[in-house]
């Protein structure tokens, strides 16, 4: 059976619809979609963004010399590793994931040892080993891409596109009002100022990369995805060279339709009505402050009328 040789990485600001889009791509017959967030970052990441976002959401760094067994452990991959190692403590304990981590790690080692030691090859081995050893994954034999999702991954766009010449980045943006309203529901939320400035900078980078790499960097608005998924995701499929599938009309996990996206993301019901209702949870003062801080990006992304 032929295997995908290319990668699609999804990116989004926190609570911007990245998990929802990831789940909507699940079930497409030409995609192997990672079951959870694919947090490929490693603790060796160190640059001027280190204090800006957690290293688990970054493109990984590896030692110049090392063994694949050590490389495997460096991938943060928290959601998958918690589900495999301590399933009763995982928020995905109910997910029917038939995968043995020892088999996955051994397969990763085998794949990595067959190729030159490059960052791109190690990342692709991470995805290939997962789907080679996931026993009950839905397979069609038509898969062309592996699909991962890591929040704010767009920061490392140029590294990804350089490491993997056939890779694509798909960045999702949601209005910062609804995004911040959902962030506030977390146990330890970012402050309004920190959230909005992170949103601003990330969207500035995304707009820049969309112009620099128009064939490989795809910028989608969450609002457009949920209002007209056939048009928005249909256009994405055309750019990726894959066919339309009606599975893109709803979120799923391993091909099984989800009634709500949670716990894969904080967006429970991805509809325009729910999105606006979330925005209205904010106070007038909060909305005014967000508009003040994000005014430039709001205009560029079509949110200045909210």
């Amino acid at each position: 059976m032929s295997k995908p040789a290319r990668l699609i990485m999804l990116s989004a600001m926190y609570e911007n619809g990245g998990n929802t889009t990831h789940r909507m791509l699940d079930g497409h017959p030409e995609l192997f979609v990672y079951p959870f967030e694919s947090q490929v970052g490693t603790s060796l990441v160190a640059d001027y963004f280190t204090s800006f976002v957690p290293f688990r959401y970054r493109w990984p760094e590896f030692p110049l010399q090392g063994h694949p067994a050590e490389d495997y452990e460096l991938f943060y991959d928290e959601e998958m590793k918690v589900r495999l190692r301590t399933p009763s403590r995982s928020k995905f304990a109910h997910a029917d994931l038939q995968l043995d981590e020892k088999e996955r790690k051994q397969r990763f080692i085998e794949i990595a040892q067959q190729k030159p030691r490059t960052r791109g090859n190690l990342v692709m081995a991470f995805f290939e080993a997962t789907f080679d050893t996931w026993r009950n994954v839905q397979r069609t034999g038509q898969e062309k891409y592996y699909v991962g999702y890591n929040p704010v991954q767009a920061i490392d766009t140029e590294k990804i596109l350089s490491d993997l010449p056939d890779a694509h980045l798909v960045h999702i943006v949601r209005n910062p009002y609804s995004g911040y309203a959902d962030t506030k529901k977390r146990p330890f939320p970012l402050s309004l100022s920190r959230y909005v400035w992170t949103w601003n900078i990330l969207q500035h980078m995304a707009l820049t990369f969309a112009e620099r790499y128009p064939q490989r960097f795809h910028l989608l608005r969450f609002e457009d995805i949920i209002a007209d998924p056939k048009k928005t995701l249909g256009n994405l499929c055309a750019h990726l060279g894959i066919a339309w599938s009606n599975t893109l009309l709803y979120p799923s996990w391993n091909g099984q339709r989800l009634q709500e996206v949670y716990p894969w993301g904080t967006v429970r019901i991805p509809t325009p009505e729910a999105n606006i209702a979330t925005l209205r949870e904010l106070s007038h003062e909060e909305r005014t402050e967000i508009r003040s801080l994000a005014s430039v990006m709001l205009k560029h992304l079509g949110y200045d009328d909210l």
Side-chain angles (χ1 to χ4, degrees):
M1 181 183 297
S2 62
K3 296 180 181 179
R6 293 178 287 176
L7 177 67
I8 299 169
M9 281 301 295
L10 270 61
S11 165
M13 175 59 183
Y14 319 128
E15 280 69 66
N16 265 219
N19 274 302
T20 297
T21 306
H22 198 210
R23 291 300 100 219
M24 292 177 77
L25 293 176
D26 178 85
H28 190 291
E30 296 177 73
L31 303 176
F32 267 146
V33 177
Y34 201 76
F36 314 116
E37 286 185 2
S38 48
Q39 300 165 354
V40 296
T42 66
S43 59
L44 299 179
V45 174
D47 60 14
Y48 55 93
F49 284 118
T50 301
S51 64
F52 185 55
V53 297
F55 71 80
R56 65 181 180 271
Y57 296 149
R58 301 293 305 282
W59 197 239
E61 297 288 351
F62 299 96
L64 292 177
Q65 294 182 331
H67 188 276
E70 298 166 346
D71 298 328
Y72 174 88
E73 297 297 340
L74 281 174
F75 286 108
Y76 195 78
D77 197 26
E78 178 186 28
E79 293 188 348
M80 174 70 93
K81 289 178 177 176
V82 170
R83 173 62 180 79
L84 295 177
R85 297 174 183 182
T86 55
S88 63
R89 296 186 179 184
S90 170
K91 62 183 179 180
F92 305 109
H94 65 289
D96 182 18
L97 178 74
Q98 297 176 24
L99 193 159
D100 183 280
E101 188 175 21
K102 290 181 180 179
E103 293 178 4
R104 182 196 188 209
K105 183 174 181 178
Q106 182 57 40
R107 182 61 181 140
F108 173 86
I109 294 170
E110 292 169 357
I111 296 168
Q113 288 177 331
Q114 295 170 6
K115 299 177 181 180
R117 182 179 175 78
T118 68
R119 179 169 54 191
N121 284 340
L122 290 173
V123 171
M124 291 303 291
F126 169 88
F127 285 98
E128 185 175 342
T130 299
F131 288 94
D132 279 0
T133 56
W134 183 358
R135 293 191 291 272
N136 66 328
V137 66
Q138 175 177 276
R139 299 178 187 273
T140 65
Q142 303 173 43
E143 291 86 358
K144 295 180 180 178
Y145 292 97
Y146 296 113
V147 182
Y149 165 56
N150 206 10
V152 304
Q153 189 75 90
I155 287 174
D156 292 313
T157 292
E158 294 189 310
K159 293 180 182 179
I160 298 168
L161 299 186
S162 175
D163 287 353
L164 300 171
D166 294 322
H168 289 259
L169 264 289
V170 178
H171 181 74
I172 316 303
V173 57
R174 181 190 189 195
N175 79 80
Y177 306 102
S178 299
Y180 178 65
D182 271 337
T183 281
K184 287 179 63 180
K185 298 167 186 174
R186 292 191 174 274
F188 302 98
L190 297 179
S191 68
L192 185 151
S193 178
R194 175 65 183 270
Y195 182 88
V196 178
W197 276 114
T198 306
W199 186 91
N200 280 334
I201 294 169
L202 186 64
Q203 310 321 332
H204 189 169
M205 296 181 77
L207 287 165
T208 301
F209 292 138
E211 287 200 12
R212 282 173 63 86
Y213 309 105
Q215 302 305 314
R216 301 177 64 197
F217 189 99
H218 315 282
L219 178 59
L220 307 181
R221 295 198 329 162
F222 177 68
E223 287 77 10
D224 297 332
I225 294 172
I226 58 177
D228 193 344
K230 188 158 189 177
K231 177 181 178 181
T232 308
L233 296 181
N235 287 338
L236 176 64
C237 287
H239 282 103
L240 297 173
I242 60 176
W244 167 259
S245 171
N246 285 335
T247 59
L248 295 167
L249 295 173
Y250 53 83
S252 65
W253 187 84
N254 197 22
Q256 300 299 308
R257 188 167 185 162
L258 298 173
Q259 295 305 308
E260 64 177 24
V261 178
Y262 183 84
W264 278 267
T266 54
V267 179
R268 290 179 178 265
I269 309 297
T271 65
E273 296 77 16
N275 192 42
I276 294 300
T278 302
L279 177 157
R280 290 173 176 163
E281 294 172 4
L282 297 180
S283 68
H284 174 74
E285 290 74 19
E286 287 171 319
R287 280 186 269 177
T288 299
E289 183 68 2
I290 290 172
R291 175 174 290 277
S292 174
L293 292 174
S295 59
V296 173
M297 287 297 107
L298 290 175
K299 295 173 185 176
H300 279 285
L301 292 163
Y303 293 132
D304 51 328
D305 59 343
L306 287 177

